Amino acid sequence: MAFPTVDAPYGLKPVNLVGGQVFAGATRLIPIASGYDTDIFAGDLVKLVSGGTLEKDAGTATATPVGVFLGCTYTDPVLKYQVFSQYYPADTVASDIKAYVADDPASLFQVAVVSSGTTIGSIARTAVGNNSSLVQNAGSTTSGNSKVAISATTATTNTLPIRIIDVVEETATGSDAFVEAIVKINAGMHQYENATGV
């Protein structure tokens, strides 16, 4: 039996960079438009849109993210003080909303594997080097965490947004059944490496 047990997806968590470089917590502050109408949770993929602001990237088999959302800050419209939040609540009206984004194209992330929805699945070691699609699930307004995961179905398809770099052995449920993977945003999909503008 795996320890610890992974019983639900938790979004993408930065762990390090390609080549084993340390992820030192570096982020970029990117504005979110006042009144943007979609929740964004810690671990969700996000993208730049025209106007230079940030939105959730809800893509599955295709996505063009700039990075992963790690929280935000804004002046609370009712209480009038600065808030640091694990997630962005939809429809927040403030002129100073900024998201913390892990936007380095070389970032590697730990993520859960699902068979569908939030049902934990697994991949074999042979999936390393393949690509996968994202599985979008609603995050938790209680914890502020994402529930995005990757699909257990992998392929060499070059338009899929996620590349599997490694598996997480500590939570394997069998000798070749890995419920978590180390992944990166595919080079042609990351907005900083895509020649097409927003």
Side-chain angles (χ1 to χ4, degrees):
M1 188 62 156
F3 183 81
T5 300
V6 178
D7 58 3
Y10 48 80
L12 283 80
K13 288 182 164 179
V15 289
N16 62 2
L17 306 179
V18 171
Q21 299 174 76
V22 174
F23 173 72
T27 57
R28 182 172 312 283
L29 275 172
I30 302 175
I32 297 173
S34 179
Y36 175 59
D37 63 357
T38 303
D39 290 331
I40 310 175
F41 297 93
D44 279 350
L45 284 110
V46 287
K47 62 183 177 182
L48 289 168
V49 295
S50 60
T53 58
L54 198 73
E55 294 184 357
K56 176 179 168 63
D57 192 329
T60 54
T62 59
T64 55
V66 72
V68 172
F69 178 88
L70 299 178
C72 66
T73 182
Y74 57 91
T75 301
D76 185 284
V78 175
L79 303 174
K80 308 299 183 200
Y81 61 79
Q82 190 171 20
V83 172
F84 293 89
S85 178
Q86 184 88 347
Y87 84 104
Y88 164 78
D91 304 312
T92 297
V93 176
S95 61
D96 61 347
I97 308 168
K98 298 272 178 77
Y100 294 92
V101 180
D103 68 342
D104 188 331
S107 293
L108 298 181
F109 303 94
Q110 186 168 320
V111 65
V113 177
V114 295
S115 55
S116 67
T118 59
T119 304
I120 297 296
S122 67
I123 54 174
R125 183 166 289 281
T126 54
V128 173
N130 279 354
N131 298 325
S132 183
S133 59
L134 295 158
V135 178
Q136 299 283 351
N137 298 297
S140 167
T141 57
T142 302
S143 70
N145 290 332
S146 171
K147 292 189 181 178
V148 169
I150 63 166
S151 172
T153 302
T154 66
T156 58
T157 310
N158 66 356
T159 54
L160 292 173
I162 299 296
R163 170 68 51 90
I164 298 169
I165 303 298
D166 203 355
V167 291
V168 178
E169 296 190 8
E170 294 79 6
T171 54
T173 57
S175 61
D176 199 26
F178 301 96
V179 299
E180 293 178 295
I182 304 299
V183 302
K184 74 178 294 289
I185 300 167
N186 252 332
M189 310 305 147
H190 195 291
Q191 282 185 306
Y192 292 164
E193 296 183 332
N194 188 329
T196 304
V198 297

Short mmCIF file of all heavy atoms in Angstrom, two decimals, residues 12 28 40 44 51 70 80 86 105 109 112 119 121 125 136 138 145 160-161 179 192-193:
data_model
loop_
_atom_site.label_atom_id
_atom_site.label_comp_id
_atom_site.label_asym_id
_atom_site.label_seq_id
_atom_site.Cartn_x
_atom_site.Cartn_y
_atom_site.Cartn_z
N LEU A 12 -1.48 21.36 -9.67
CA LEU A 12 -0.06 21.21 -9.98
C LEU A 12 0.76 21.93 -8.92
O LEU A 12 0.53 23.11 -8.63
CB LEU A 12 0.26 21.79 -11.36
CG LEU A 12 -0.16 20.91 -12.55
CD1 LEU A 12 -1.64 21.05 -12.85
CD2 LEU A 12 0.65 21.26 -13.77
N ARG A 28 6.00 35.35 -10.55
CA ARG A 28 5.77 36.66 -11.18
C ARG A 28 4.38 37.12 -10.76
O ARG A 28 3.44 36.33 -10.74
CB ARG A 28 5.85 36.54 -12.70
CG ARG A 28 5.67 37.87 -13.42
CD ARG A 28 5.94 37.75 -14.91
NE ARG A 28 7.18 37.04 -15.20
CZ ARG A 28 8.42 37.57 -15.10
NH1 ARG A 28 8.55 38.82 -14.70
NH2 ARG A 28 9.48 36.86 -15.39
N ILE A 40 -10.16 30.95 -9.44
CA ILE A 40 -8.85 30.38 -9.77
C ILE A 40 -8.24 29.87 -8.48
O ILE A 40 -8.12 30.62 -7.50
CB ILE A 40 -7.89 31.40 -10.42
CG1 ILE A 40 -8.57 32.15 -11.57
CG2 ILE A 40 -6.64 30.69 -10.92
CD1 ILE A 40 -7.70 33.27 -12.17
N ASP A 44 -4.03 25.67 -10.24
CA ASP A 44 -4.67 25.78 -11.56
C ASP A 44 -3.68 26.35 -12.58
O ASP A 44 -2.85 27.19 -12.24
CB ASP A 44 -5.87 26.73 -11.52
CG ASP A 44 -7.14 26.09 -10.98
OD1 ASP A 44 -7.18 24.87 -10.81
OD2 ASP A 44 -8.11 26.85 -10.74
N GLY A 51 -4.78 42.48 -23.21
CA GLY A 51 -4.90 43.45 -22.12
C GLY A 51 -3.86 43.18 -21.04
O GLY A 51 -3.72 43.96 -20.11
N LEU A 70 -0.48 30.36 -7.85
CA LEU A 70 -0.09 29.98 -6.49
C LEU A 70 -0.70 30.87 -5.42
O LEU A 70 -0.26 30.84 -4.27
CB LEU A 70 1.44 29.98 -6.37
CG LEU A 70 2.19 29.01 -7.29
CD1 LEU A 70 3.69 29.16 -7.11
CD2 LEU A 70 1.74 27.58 -7.05
N LYS A 80 -11.86 46.70 2.99
CA LYS A 80 -10.88 47.72 2.63
C LYS A 80 -9.47 47.47 3.18
O LYS A 80 -8.74 48.41 3.47
CB LYS A 80 -11.34 49.12 3.07
CG LYS A 80 -12.74 49.48 2.62
CD LYS A 80 -12.87 49.50 1.13
CE LYS A 80 -14.27 49.96 0.73
NZ LYS A 80 -14.65 49.58 -0.60
N GLN A 86 -5.34 32.11 -0.96
CA GLN A 86 -4.94 30.88 -1.65
C GLN A 86 -5.63 30.76 -3.00
O GLN A 86 -5.13 30.10 -3.89
CB GLN A 86 -5.32 29.68 -0.75
CG GLN A 86 -4.90 28.34 -1.27
CD GLN A 86 -3.51 27.96 -0.82
OE1 GLN A 86 -2.75 28.76 -0.32
NE2 GLN A 86 -3.16 26.70 -1.03
N PRO A 105 9.27 28.48 -17.82
CA PRO A 105 8.98 27.37 -18.72
C PRO A 105 9.69 26.07 -18.35
O PRO A 105 9.28 24.99 -18.78
CB PRO A 105 9.46 27.88 -20.09
CG PRO A 105 9.44 29.37 -19.97
CD PRO A 105 9.79 29.66 -18.54
N PHE A 109 6.31 20.13 -12.12
CA PHE A 109 5.20 20.10 -11.17
C PHE A 109 4.84 18.67 -10.81
O PHE A 109 4.88 17.78 -11.66
CB PHE A 109 3.97 20.80 -11.77
CG PHE A 109 4.23 22.21 -12.20
CD1 PHE A 109 4.58 22.50 -13.51
CD2 PHE A 109 4.14 23.26 -11.30
CE1 PHE A 109 4.82 23.80 -13.93
CE2 PHE A 109 4.37 24.57 -11.70
CZ PHE A 109 4.72 24.84 -13.02
N ALA A 112 -1.50 14.72 -9.55
CA ALA A 112 -2.18 13.42 -9.44
C ALA A 112 -2.65 12.95 -10.81
O ALA A 112 -2.95 13.76 -11.69
CB ALA A 112 -3.36 13.52 -8.48
N THR A 119 -11.44 10.68 -9.77
CA THR A 119 -11.12 9.28 -9.44
C THR A 119 -9.65 9.01 -9.74
O THR A 119 -9.22 9.08 -10.89
CB THR A 119 -12.00 8.31 -10.25
OG1 THR A 119 -13.38 8.62 -9.99
CG2 THR A 119 -11.72 6.87 -9.87
N GLY A 121 -6.33 7.42 -10.72
CA GLY A 121 -5.93 6.34 -11.61
C GLY A 121 -4.44 6.13 -11.47
O GLY A 121 -3.84 6.54 -10.47
N ARG A 125 5.48 3.16 -15.70
CA ARG A 125 6.72 3.90 -15.98
C ARG A 125 6.89 4.16 -17.48
O ARG A 125 7.52 5.14 -17.88
CB ARG A 125 7.93 3.15 -15.43
CG ARG A 125 9.23 3.91 -15.65
CD ARG A 125 10.37 3.37 -14.83
NE ARG A 125 10.23 3.65 -13.41
CZ ARG A 125 10.53 4.82 -12.84
NH1 ARG A 125 10.94 5.83 -13.58
NH2 ARG A 125 10.41 4.99 -11.54
N GLN A 136 -9.96 18.85 -15.81
CA GLN A 136 -10.39 20.03 -15.06
C GLN A 136 -11.50 19.66 -14.09
O GLN A 136 -12.52 19.09 -14.48
CB GLN A 136 -10.89 21.10 -16.03
CG GLN A 136 -9.84 21.60 -17.02
CD GLN A 136 -8.84 22.56 -16.39
OE1 GLN A 136 -9.00 23.02 -15.26
NE2 GLN A 136 -7.81 22.88 -17.15
N ALA A 138 -13.56 21.26 -10.40
CA ALA A 138 -13.75 22.46 -9.58
C ALA A 138 -12.89 22.37 -8.33
O ALA A 138 -12.83 21.33 -7.67
CB ALA A 138 -15.22 22.60 -9.20
N ASN A 145 -7.49 25.14 -2.75
CA ASN A 145 -6.66 24.33 -3.64
C ASN A 145 -7.41 23.85 -4.87
O ASN A 145 -8.61 23.56 -4.82
CB ASN A 145 -6.12 23.11 -2.89
CG ASN A 145 -5.09 23.50 -1.86
OD1 ASN A 145 -4.41 24.50 -1.99
ND2 ASN A 145 -5.00 22.72 -0.79
N LEU A 160 -0.85 17.75 -27.11
CA LEU A 160 -1.26 17.64 -25.70
C LEU A 160 -0.40 18.57 -24.85
O LEU A 160 0.80 18.71 -25.09
CB LEU A 160 -1.14 16.19 -25.22
CG LEU A 160 -2.14 15.21 -25.85
CD1 LEU A 160 -1.81 13.78 -25.44
CD2 LEU A 160 -3.57 15.57 -25.47
N PRO A 161 -0.98 19.21 -23.84
CA PRO A 161 -0.27 20.29 -23.15
C PRO A 161 0.74 19.88 -22.09
O PRO A 161 1.56 20.69 -21.66
CB PRO A 161 -1.41 21.09 -22.51
CG PRO A 161 -2.50 20.09 -22.29
CD PRO A 161 -2.39 19.13 -23.44
N VAL A 179 0.45 6.80 -9.12
CA VAL A 179 -0.73 7.68 -9.05
C VAL A 179 -0.37 9.17 -9.10
O VAL A 179 -1.26 10.01 -9.15
CB VAL A 179 -1.58 7.37 -7.80
CG1 VAL A 179 -2.09 5.94 -7.84
CG2 VAL A 179 -0.80 7.64 -6.52
N TYR A 192 5.25 31.58 -23.09
CA TYR A 192 6.54 32.25 -23.30
C TYR A 192 7.34 31.60 -24.42
O TYR A 192 8.28 32.20 -24.93
CB TYR A 192 7.37 32.23 -22.03
CG TYR A 192 6.83 33.08 -20.89
CD1 TYR A 192 7.29 32.90 -19.60
CD2 TYR A 192 5.86 34.06 -21.10
CE1 TYR A 192 6.82 33.67 -18.54
CE2 TYR A 192 5.39 34.83 -20.06
CZ TYR A 192 5.86 34.62 -18.78
OH TYR A 192 5.38 35.38 -17.74
N GLU A 193 7.00 30.38 -24.78
CA GLU A 193 7.75 29.67 -25.82
C GLU A 193 6.95 29.52 -27.11
O GLU A 193 7.39 28.87 -28.04
CB GLU A 193 8.18 28.30 -25.31
CG GLU A 193 9.13 28.39 -24.13
CD GLU A 193 9.64 27.05 -23.66
OE1 GLU A 193 8.90 26.06 -23.84
OE2 GLU A 193 10.76 27.00 -23.13
#
